[in-house]
Amino acid sequence: MGVALEKFPAICGVLPGGSGILTTADAFINWSRKSSVWPVTFGLACCAIEMMAAYASRFDFDRLGVIPRPSPRQADLMLIAGTVSKKMADPIVQIYRQMPEPRFVISMGSCANCGGPFHDSYAVLKGVDKIIPVDVYLAGCPPRPEALYYAVLKLQEKIQQMKIGHGAGAAPQQERGSRDLGAP
Amino acid sequence: MTNERVTAQILAQFPQLEKDPSPVKDYPTLRLPDAASLLPVISHLKDSLGFSYLDMVTAVDWKGPVDPAGYVREERAHPFQAKPAAAAAAKPLPGAPYRDAFTLVYALSRFANPLKIFLKLDVPREQPRAASLARIFRTADWQEREVFDLFGIFFDGHPDLRRILTLESLQGHPLRKDYAHAEDRFDR
């Protein structure tokens, strides 16, 4: 944002009057969208500790506009930070459906990706992508906060490629404008 | 010395109890002969001897070695192996006290003149039942639900005996040695 403001006089000077700029709707909307990716506040297992470290002052997720929201109604991103037990699967789908579109999912750590060391367990879901669509998979057990940063930057790259004309979709399966899971 | 004194006190009151030959660490560990003596012993420990806190209720399955077929694991061909390793047949450990029973283990604490005591009760694997402690210790409610969930031991007089950790739709009780996982809607 600071960079944009520094360059603002030069950019605005192009048009008569010096206070307007020309851009595409896509570029502007995607820029604002990717600069305020608000995740819903919840963690499932030990990956959540790394997620909390990423939020806190040393790594400071606020710099990317990633500010945790206490309600899924105000959130854009769901960070699946940890092991998804089968008991937790239905609440996750419910929270996902409560989030407004466009909504994004980062699957953080081996457990959320594929079940990880608990793949053989009777109680653990073998990958959160069995119940909700995932935008970015992040490997690691657990991934460091820097890796979570990288995942958010990758998600921002993905958001930058979204086209309003195609609906809200960032992923190919989103291009129809909705990633609704068949819910009403 | 407190250990011996408390054990002697309890044994004087309930002569049918016996000292467990394999105690939990150095704690006084007593074995109950039948399920009927559970409630009187626990009530006596709480009301007369001051054991006011129920640390834990858990169980042990003494059936023979675990059947490898009970695991969810798939036998995959490993790239560095000539052929997929066959599931090792379950071999009984020599000297292991296998028997057809669950052992319920209760741990109680006393804070005045601190002491911890363990009680063990064998219940049969067929139709395992025991009296619920939920009316004596409120904390037994969830502990017994967990034991019921994972071992399938029924607690008579429990106010709300439902599964607590696993899916309501799960078939069987996962910590039983003969548990075999049935595929559910999340495994596909």
Side-chain angles (χ1 to χ4, degrees), chain A residues 86-90 119-126 130-131, chain B residues 72-74 165-168 174 179 181 184-188:
Chain A
K86 287 172 182 170
K87 189 100 165 171
M88 194 62 196
D90 285 335
H119 183 85
D120 294 333
S121 168
Y122 53 84
V124 173
L125 195 65
K126 296 166 182 49
K130 284 184 181 287
I131 50 170
Chain B
V72 190
R73 184 170 300 136
E74 314 141 20
L165 293 176
T166 59
L167 279 182
E168 286 83 355
Y179 173 76
H181 185 74
D184 58 34
R185 63 194 163 105
F186 296 116
D187 288 330
R188 276 165 226 136

Side-chain angles (χ1 to χ4, degrees), chain B residues 22-51:
Chain B
S22 54
V24 181
K25 294 189 176 173
D26 293 333
Y27 298 114
T29 306
L30 294 171
R31 191 166 271 282
L32 297 156
D34 48 20
S37 54
L38 176 66
L39 282 183
V41 171
I42 298 271
S43 303
H44 178 73
L45 283 175
K46 187 186 182 189
D47 299 334
S48 307
L49 298 177
F51 286 88

Side-chain angles (χ1 to χ4, degrees), chain B residues 98-113:
Chain B
Y98 297 129
R99 57 186 189 275
D100 242 19
F102 295 116
T103 300
L104 278 166
V105 182
Y106 297 89
L108 290 96
S109 279
R110 177 169 79 183
F111 295 112
N113 195 358

Side-chain angles (χ1 to χ4, degrees), chain B residues 112-132:
Chain B
N113 195 358
L115 187 63
K116 198 188 282 282
I117 191 169
F118 285 80
L119 294 175
K120 290 184 181 180
L121 170 65
D122 270 17
V123 290
R125 286 186 99 256
E126 299 295 321
Q127 306 236 334
R129 307 196 81 86
S132 171

